[in-house]
């Protein structure tokens, strides 16, 4: 029986969804506190946490949560893929083709290391939800894996 | 011996390669069914699946598999990094520098949560192979980890 | 006691930081050897390795380590987000707003499969550290998970 007491802790996984319904078409929301809470609830001390948009017109990315930078990103993305641009995708009756491009540039997902039960972030890293076609209910998935 | 029966299921990993040889230079292929099949074969119920291009001129990304959007992406990428542009990389004798840029913008890899044995996707999420320098045999790696 | 001998190997995790202080504002450094070493030290035979910049003005990405391509990327990024451009973020007293954009386009992180104790790379894949605001000490995180 002694050897049984050396059995390693089992792998743990944990899943949670976040919900957003922004009042504007485009918005940025710092979701670091929600990700930290999910990691704490998971009980995982060493592992990985995946955070991804579940919609094709929104992003989860890691960068600074600074008002000026957020404004600069919006200007940059609107220049690269303007909402009023001409897109074949909008022939389907949608008006959000630009949001697919904005999300593609900013990325769908981030993966963050968990070390000693905490997000293993550099000094300025924040996880941000980027909405590019808001004013309706949308979801973000948090999946934790580790031990 | 009783405590032994509580031993957690061991971590599982699974690996598979997909092969592509497109007839055109650029192409988009929905690979969601192949990823779903790999997850099923892995036997993993809770975990993560990484899907990545193994070549530097191709992408795996998640977005809508809609004909108009695919066309819009191609127009957008060709505008940002035209095939006929001037690139130092092409001085090596290659003609596919543009494909390195297109792949960089669209991304190399996606990571998808596995929950209850299925891809944990939002309602419209599809995993797509983006080829930017086709007409030769190329590979995508699927790696599953979990329990 | 016999059943105990069938107990699966426990999940392993491993963490390491790399440090960089480039002499130029922008630089590209092939970090594949360091990632390979970390995977070997981890003892993980099957799993995943996350490699991410811990700063918001640097990238880790996978592409070719070819001098011409690196130069082309720099030209491309400087055209999309010039250092001398006008950015609200720089009103905070910083001069590196462009570096936030360059990093966002090139990406924060890569995730690489580990198979049979090695990086499961295609023939030309190299992991590269992209510095966009150098001349100060910066960090990259390597986190290995598997068994």
């Amino acid at each position: 029986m002694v050897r049984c007491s050396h059995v390693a802790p089992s792998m743990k996984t944990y899943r949670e969804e976040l919900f957003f319904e922004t009042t504007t078409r485009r918005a940025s929301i710092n979701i670091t506190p929600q990700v930290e809470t999910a990691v704490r609830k998971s009980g995982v001390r060493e592992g990985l946490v995946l955070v991804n948009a579940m919609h094709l017109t929104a992003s989860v990315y890691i960068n600074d949560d600074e008002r000026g930078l957020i404004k600069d990103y919006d200007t940059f993305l609107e220049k690269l893929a303007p909402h009023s641009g001409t897109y074949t995708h909008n022939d389907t009756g949608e008006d959000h083709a630009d949001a697919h491009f904005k999300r593609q540039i900013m990325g769908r997902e981030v993966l963050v290391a968990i070390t000693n039960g905490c997000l293993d972030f550099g000094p300025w890293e924040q996880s941000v939800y980027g909405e590019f076609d808001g004013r309706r209910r949308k979801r973000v998935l948090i999946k934790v894996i580790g031990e």
Side-chain angles (χ1 to χ4, degrees), chain A:
Chain A
M1 292 308 288
V2 170
R3 287 163 69 197
C4 291
S5 67
H6 296 295
V7 165
S10 77
M11 208 191 80
K12 286 190 181 86
T13 62
Y14 176 80
R15 179 193 195 275
E16 188 175 320
E17 289 184 8
L18 306 179
F19 296 91
F20 302 94
E21 188 165 353
T22 64
T23 54
T24 51
R25 183 185 300 275
R26 296 198 296 274
S28 293
I29 299 168
N30 189 334
I31 60 172
T32 313
Q34 290 97 313
V35 179
E36 281 170 342
T37 300
V39 168
R40 202 160 48 237
K41 282 195 225 164
S42 75
V44 168
R45 303 290 299 169
E46 296 292 326
L48 299 170
V49 54
L50 167 69
V51 190
N52 69 264
M54 299 185 81
H55 298 259
L56 308 176
T57 51
S59 287
V60 175
Y61 64 92
I62 288 176
N63 218 307
D64 199 355
D65 181 26
E66 193 274 317
R67 184 186 298 263
L69 185 67
I70 298 289
K71 185 167 173 294
D72 289 336
Y73 273 135
D74 192 65
T75 305
F76 177 75
L77 292 171
E78 183 60 12
K79 189 176 158 193
L80 271 182
H83 178 64
S84 63
T86 302
Y87 304 94
T88 312
H89 183 55
N90 285 347
D91 294 347
T92 62
E94 301 284 5
D95 73 341
H96 65 194
D98 66 303
H100 285 273
F101 284 84
K102 284 163 175 146
R103 120 61 175 269
Q104 199 66 36
I105 293 163
M106 298 302 279
R108 166 190 180 255
E109 75 212 18
V110 296
L111 184 65
V112 184
I114 301 169
T115 301
N116 203 19
C118 295
L119 296 178
D120 199 337
F121 266 160
W124 300 99
E125 289 191 285
Q126 299 289 328
S127 49
V128 180
Y129 174 69
E131 175 63 80
F132 306 115
D133 184 39
R135 300 183 292 196
R136 56 198 181 88
R137 186 172 165 89
K138 293 169 87 167
R139 291 183 289 154
V140 160
L141 176 66
I142 303 177
K143 184 87 179 190
V144 185
I145 178 171
E147 68 176 19

